[in-house]
Amino acid sequence: MKQKVSVPFMLLGILFNVCLIAANLLETKVIQVFGITVTAGLLVFPISYIINDCIAEVWGFRKARLIIWSGFAMNFFVVMLGLIAVALPAAPFWDGAAHFNFVFGMAPRIVIASLTAFLVGSFLNAYVMSRMKLASNGRNFSARAIWSTVVGETADSLIFFPVAFGGIIAWQELLVMMCIQILLKSMYEVLILPVTIRVVKAIKRIDGSDVYDEGISYKVWKIGDI
């Protein structure tokens, strides 16, 4: 039986993938603002968790699982294209090779760290959102959105930073960066929560969906079970 995909779901899915790809590229730069050191991926990555919250809230864990795996596949695809482009010889008159290679020629440990952290954090975010919705009978969306993000972002940072930068950046600095990113990303969720609430309400009204994940499988690899 064919599965129907609504326009709101399709648009959120596209935005989710774009945010992930952009964040993956921006993660290559470490920035410092007002004495706070973070990766530039902080600019866009929290948006993917907000979209994850919206999808899990409106369409349930199974649709969130589908979109998470699509994000993983697109991220992997872009990374592979980047590595192929780096491997190809540059034109002799082009002097941008070093800068291009710095952005797209990510070390295998960066790729592994980024993709693994994304999968674990995103699935934990969707799982907590789904289970809390069942436990609260659909009430307290704000609390569910915040706590699911805290859990997902914490797992993401605890995986990404040690795997990506362990032995390159001092462990004390890494710990500070992890704590700052978890705090800032969670604050991002809180600040934008009024917008998230309105978006979720609008989608539910337009799409007519409000799924409760009763009796479903939370196995992350059951992509076909949507």
Side-chain angles (χ1 to χ4, degrees), residues 48-223:
S48 66
Y49 275 81
I50 293 168
I51 297 172
N52 195 341
D53 287 342
C54 292
I55 292 176
E57 172 67 17
V58 178
W59 294 285
F61 179 84
R62 291 178 293 183
K63 283 292 196 297
R65 176 173 55 201
L66 174 65
I67 216 68
I68 290 169
W69 278 116
S70 76
F72 175 86
M74 293 305 99
N75 238 330
F76 183 81
F77 180 61
V78 171
V79 168
M80 291 302 104
L81 288 178
L83 293 177
I84 292 172
V86 168
L88 293 173
F93 56 82
W94 186 58
D95 59 359
H99 302 292
F100 183 91
N101 294 350
F102 180 80
V103 175
F104 290 96
M106 291 182 290
R109 64 183 293 180
I110 299 290
V111 175
I112 293 171
S114 177
L115 295 179
T116 304
F118 158 70
L119 281 179
V120 174
S122 296
F123 276 120
L124 281 175
N125 181 80
Y127 176 80
V128 171
M129 193 74 180
S130 172
R131 298 300 296 178
M132 287 185 70
K133 183 175 183 178
L134 286 175
S136 64
N137 197 27
R139 296 186 296 270
N140 303 319
F141 172 77
S142 298
R144 290 186 277 117
I146 292 171
W147 281 112
S148 63
T149 297
V150 170
V151 172
E153 296 287 10
T154 299
D156 182 279
S157 295
L158 289 177
I159 293 172
F160 177 76
F161 283 99
V163 176
F165 299 117
I168 300 175
I169 298 176
W171 286 104
Q172 183 177 356
E173 184 66 24
L174 273 182
L175 182 60
V176 172
M177 290 176 65
M178 282 189 284
C179 292
I180 290 175
Q181 289 237 139
I182 293 168
L183 178 61
L184 291 181
K185 287 179 179 179
S186 300
M187 287 175 61
Y188 196 130
E189 173 76 44
V190 174
L191 291 174
I192 205 170
L193 189 58
V195 176
T196 306
I197 292 172
R198 285 171 173 78
V199 170
V200 167
K201 287 182 178 179
I203 293 174
K204 286 182 177 180
R205 184 178 66 253
I206 295 170
D207 197 78
S209 297
D210 189 9
V211 174
Y212 287 75
D213 293 320
E214 296 178 350
I216 72 162
S217 170
Y218 284 100
K219 294 178 180 178
V220 299
W221 58 83
K222 295 190 70 173
I223 307 174

